Amino acid sequence: MNPLEIPEIVIRRLPLYLRALNLLTEQGQVVTSSQELGERLGISSTQIRKDLSYFGEFGKQGTGYDVRYLAEQLRQILQVNRTWNLVLIGAGDLGRAIARYNGFERGGFSIVAVLDRDKQKIGNQVGQLRIQDIAQLPDVLRQHHVQIAIIAVPPDEAQGVANLLVKNGIRAILSYAHITMPADVRIQHIDPVVGLQSMTYYLVPTQP
Amino acid sequence: MNPLEIPEIVIRRLPLYLRALNLLTEQGQVVTSSQELGERLGISSTQIRKDLSYFGEFGKQGTGYDVRYLAEQLRQILQVNRTWNLVLIGAGDLGRAIARYNGFERGGFSIVAVLDRDKQKIGNQVGQLRIQDIAQLPDVLRQHHVQIAIIAVPPDEAQGVANLLVKNGIRAILSYAHITMPADVRIQHIDPVVGLQSMTYYLVPTQP
DNA sequence: TAGATTGTTAATCGATTAACAATC
DNA sequence: TAGATTGTTAATCGATTAACAATC
């Protein structure tokens, strides 16, 4: 099947499967089933088997899936059986928290540079990295072959930063502030308020 | 129509509409149309009208929607035309970044306490708040009528914290680490790696 | 073998969209 | 009025699920 025909909603579930498999691996489990995975993720076993079937046959009838093997296959499908270099723009509280987050390596990512425009911050150390001047962006991107950026600057600066990134060849952005992008650039938003607001709809306001 | 019958996917789009309307308000725009909103959000105008029609008639034929009025209606629907008190668990880098994020008030939320178990951190100031001992959790929740919590502790502590929160009556959790919860507790995850991994699928690896 | 679980088809379910009357 | 845009219906599209043969 042509990869372009696979529903995006399927692609978006694969990282969840991978995370669950990583957890099972850590717990020492060797084999799992679509049912077990489904229970852990709140997804039907049929849906998991259907999703996987877009890409191949990874299980054994009567037995299930080899945890490590399936995880490796998913990494291959998602192209994270390699390391993608990332740049992080913004070295405020949020930027520093992201720079020190150690879940990226496991996921197939490596932050190779933290950039900011604040002269006060440039030169300071954050984790293993020294904060660089945003003016270095073109050099850094070329040098490390970076295609993906994380934006952690204040909301009103985010769009400008995003435009700059795209002008310098960035193809995918994870942004903590809202931005709009041309259709050929992948974008993912992280906004805690949006998450909270879709929960309050369901809450009963017992609070006075 | 019974609220329980409204598709969750519709509910999850409403905060996006609200954010776009807030932006339009800031830009001084008084009236908008489903088409304009749709273009800004990458959603069809028909879908927006359909979504809104679950809740009432908010527009004028030939004219469109009053920006402030529609925003206020959405706030009412989402129950964020009031302030929900939040507690934040975890005062590391991430917790401090969240505590200082000033988008919560606008969205209908207020962090009333930051709690941690680290004696070194307890008592320190973060933004307007003093870091409190996690042992204070029951008191804090009761005192401020808190139903929603944000978890920003290390991954391996998150599940324990979540269990504690639920035991103390929390009904909704926004977590930066993966946890599982009983079905009657609302949960939203924020995981940068999951977002990144569903973008790499579509990237062409020109990188060596 | 018997039991279990996959991979897959076909049916069902639900969400999106096209079309248009209503009406500002 | 003419033009524009809503709200809504019905059609279409696409995703999920039930069922089951295949097979380990």
Side-chain angles (χ1 to χ4, degrees):
Chain A
M1 169 176 268
N2 186 328
L4 294 176
E5 296 171 13
I6 295 169
E8 182 168 338
I9 197 165
V10 172
I11 302 301
R12 296 183 58 111
R13 279 192 292 263
L14 301 186
L16 306 180
Y17 301 164
L18 179 53
R19 186 174 57 187
L21 290 165
N22 285 339
L23 195 62
L24 285 171
T25 300
E26 278 161 27
Q27 292 167 350
Q29 197 169 322
V30 173
V31 169
T32 188
S33 66
S34 58
Q35 191 177 348
E36 182 180 46
L37 276 174
E39 277 164 17
R40 293 198 168 216
L41 292 163
I43 292 176
S44 77
S45 63
T46 308
Q47 182 159 82
I48 292 174
R49 295 199 302 279
K50 173 79 171 166
D51 285 353
L52 296 177
S53 76
Y54 282 106
F55 304 98
E57 307 186 359
F58 306 115
K60 268 201 181 65
Q61 281 100 328
T63 309
Y65 302 90
D66 181 282
V67 172
R68 301 180 88 102
Y69 175 74
L70 182 56
E72 188 50 37
Q73 294 301 308
L74 288 175
R75 276 185 216 107
Q76 208 165 98
I77 292 164
L78 291 169
Q79 300 198 93
V80 292
N81 58 338
R82 61 198 288 290
T83 298
W84 295 84
N85 289 338
L86 309 178
V87 293
L88 168 62
I89 318 294
D93 289 316
L94 179 60
R96 289 196 304 274
I98 294 165
R100 290 178 185 143
Y101 175 61
N102 59 15
F104 290 116
E105 308 294 333
R106 174 81 191 255
F109 304 96
S110 175
I111 298 179
V112 295
V114 183
L115 301 102
D116 202 294
R117 69 173 193 188
D118 182 353
K119 301 278 187 261
Q120 298 293 316
K121 288 176 186 157
I122 294 165
N124 290 354
Q125 202 75 15
V126 52
Q128 306 293 325
L129 296 162
R130 202 179 50 78
I131 299 168
Q132 292 179 261
D133 192 323
I134 185 75
Q136 299 299 312
L137 183 69
D139 288 346
V140 168
L141 296 186
R142 208 174 316 116
Q143 201 176 326
H144 293 95
H145 305 274
V146 182
Q147 295 193 63
I148 311 175
I150 302 180
I151 298 180
V153 302
D156 54 322
E157 294 171 32
Q159 185 65 56
V161 165
N163 297 345
L164 181 69
L165 288 167
V166 171
K167 196 157 58 182
N168 284 278
I170 285 290
R171 312 305 326 264
I173 294 174
L174 180 73
S175 178
Y176 286 77
H178 190 247
I179 54 176
T180 60
M181 281 287 109
D184 63 332
V185 178
R186 289 267 143 193
I187 166 86
Q188 292 275 315
H189 286 107
I190 288 186
D191 183 342
V193 170
V194 165
L196 289 168
Q197 287 185 336
S198 49
M199 293 196 291
T200 51
Y201 174 81
Y202 297 98
L203 291 182
V204 180
T206 57
Q207 177 179 344
Chain B
M1 169 176 271
N2 185 330
L4 293 177
E5 296 172 13
I6 295 169
E8 181 169 339
I9 198 165
V10 171
I11 302 301
R12 296 184 59 108
R13 279 193 292 262
L14 301 185
L16 306 179
Y17 301 164
L18 179 53
R19 187 174 59 188
L21 290 164
N22 284 340
L23 195 62
L24 285 170
T25 301
E26 278 161 27
Q27 292 168 350
Q29 197 169 323
V30 175
V31 169
T32 189
S33 65
S34 57
Q35 191 178 349
E36 182 179 44
L37 276 176
E39 277 165 15
R40 294 198 167 216
L41 292 163
I43 292 176
S44 78
S45 63
T46 308
Q47 181 159 83
I48 292 174
R49 296 200 303 280
K50 173 78 170 169
D51 285 353
L52 296 177
S53 76
Y54 282 105
F55 305 97
E57 307 186 359
F58 306 116
K60 268 201 181 66
Q61 280 100 328
T63 308
Y65 302 90
D66 181 282
V67 172
R68 302 179 88 102
Y69 175 74
L70 181 55
E72 187 49 37
Q73 293 302 307
L74 288 176
R75 276 185 217 104
Q76 208 165 98
I77 293 163
L78 291 169
Q79 302 198 92
V80 292
N81 58 339
R82 63 200 288 290
T83 298
W84 295 84
N85 289 339
L86 308 179
V87 293
L88 169 62
I89 318 294
D93 290 315
L94 179 59
R96 289 196 303 275
I98 295 166
R100 290 176 184 144
Y101 176 61
N102 59 14
F104 290 116
E105 307 293 333
R106 174 79 189 259
F109 304 95
S110 175
I111 298 179
V112 296
V114 183
L115 302 101
D116 202 294
R117 70 172 194 188
D118 181 355
K119 300 278 186 263
Q120 298 293 317
K121 289 177 183 155
I122 294 165
N124 290 353
Q125 201 77 15
V126 53
Q128 307 292 324
L129 296 162
R130 200 177 53 76
I131 299 168
Q132 293 179 262
D133 192 323
I134 186 72
Q136 300 297 311
L137 183 70
D139 288 347
V140 169
L141 295 185
R142 207 174 314 115
Q143 200 176 327
H144 294 95
H145 306 274
V146 181
Q147 295 193 63
I148 311 175
I150 303 180
I151 297 181
V153 300
D156 54 323
E157 293 171 32
Q159 185 65 56
V161 165
N163 297 344
L164 181 69
L165 288 166
V166 171
K167 196 158 58 183
N168 282 279
I170 285 291
R171 312 304 325 267
I173 294 175
L174 179 73
S175 178
Y176 286 77
H178 191 247
I179 54 176
T180 61
M181 281 286 109
D184 63 332
V185 178
R186 288 266 144 195
I187 167 86
Q188 292 275 314
H189 285 107
I190 289 188
D191 182 341
V193 169
V194 166
L196 290 168
Q197 287 186 335
S198 50
M199 294 196 290
T200 51
Y201 174 81
Y202 296 98
L203 292 181
V204 180
T206 59
Q207 178 180 343

